[in-house]
Amino acid sequence: SMRRWVLLAVLVYTTVFSIYSVLRYYDFRTLYFDLGIHTYSMERILHGQERIETLIFPSTPGHVGHFSPILAPVLALYALVPVPETLLVLQSALLGVAALPLYDLALKVLGRPDRAGAFAFVYLLYPAIHGANRYDFHIEVFIPLFGFVLFLALVRKQYRLFVVASLLVLSTHEFVSLLFLWSGALLLLY
């Protein structure tokens, strides 16, 4: 079925970009800013030198200054495997897995597996998604996954899932609240 092809594409994407981003890191071709700031903050928290607020809240010493509560579970994952590669592989997995709810959303709206599969494949081939994997670690990589789940829940009229996905999207970055207004407008119109 087409869903299996999409799942295979997700696995290939995640594997290829995980290897690619880790090799870039080993080759000293990542920049210090995003990956460095996040790993530095997480290391300081894990070693008791800072509290978790420095990772989540803006304008706290030692961090980049964004409101990103989603970094708390990322910190838990990082604590299990405390190396920068963890963040790079997580980033690739998040961007890849987002193709699955996109496929389901396109299937629900279009009703044809071939067209829904095309949407998922085009997403995985989209150069801007690749660019996010090429350049360090970004908290914004959660947005496609949570956003696609949000819209899928809306189309399926699964309003509890919609609320959960909405909270998850809002937990990524403070600017997402502006984007979130559009989904609220869609909810009212839909």
Side-chain angles (χ1 to χ4, degrees):
S1 74
M2 182 56 70
R3 186 166 181 75
R4 288 183 186 169
W5 284 107
V6 172
L7 183 58
L8 178 63
V10 166
L11 292 173
V12 168
Y13 176 92
T14 301
T15 302
V16 167
F17 275 96
S18 292
I19 292 168
Y20 175 74
S21 61
V22 168
L23 289 177
R24 278 182 59 87
Y25 171 72
Y26 290 160
D27 199 29
F28 300 105
R29 292 186 336 183
T30 57
L31 300 175
Y32 73 92
F33 194 74
D34 293 322
L35 183 62
I37 292 282
H38 285 96
T39 55
Y40 175 76
S41 293
M42 290 182 189
E43 286 294 326
R44 290 184 56 83
I45 292 166
L46 291 178
H47 291 94
Q49 298 165 335
E50 296 285 344
R51 295 186 341 195
I52 195 164
E53 295 86 27
T54 61
L55 192 62
I56 295 172
F57 294 110
S59 303
T60 51
H63 195 57
V64 77
H66 294 293
F67 178 69
S68 300
I70 197 67
L71 285 173
V74 173
L75 175 64
L77 178 66
Y78 185 84
L80 294 174
V81 185
V83 293
E85 293 93 324
T86 301
L87 299 179
L88 297 173
V89 171
L90 173 64
Q91 176 169 263
S92 296
L94 287 166
L95 288 171
V97 167
L100 295 173
L102 176 60
Y103 171 78
D104 291 339
L105 176 61
L107 185 60
K108 178 74 175 167
V109 171
L110 301 173
R112 290 188 48 185
D114 57 336
R115 290 184 181 169
F119 266 88
F121 296 138
V122 167
Y123 165 80
L124 291 171
L125 294 171
Y126 187 50
I129 298 298
H130 303 171
N133 262 333
R134 289 191 72 242
Y135 180 75
D136 290 352
F137 173 76
H138 305 283
I139 200 62
E140 293 86 359
V141 298
F142 284 92
I143 295 171
L145 176 61
F146 297 155
F148 294 148
V149 169
L150 182 149
F151 287 115
L152 178 62
L154 181 61
V155 169
R156 287 182 175 170
K157 298 181 181 179
Q158 296 174 321
Y159 298 116
R160 287 190 180 133
L161 179 58
F162 175 80
V163 169
V164 170
S166 298
L167 293 173
L168 288 170
V169 166
L170 289 169
S171 73
T172 59
H173 205 289
E174 68 274 0
F175 80 83
V176 174
S177 60
L178 296 173
L179 299 173
F180 187 76
L181 290 175
W182 287 106
S183 65
L186 284 174
L187 177 62
L188 291 174
L189 292 173
Y190 193 71

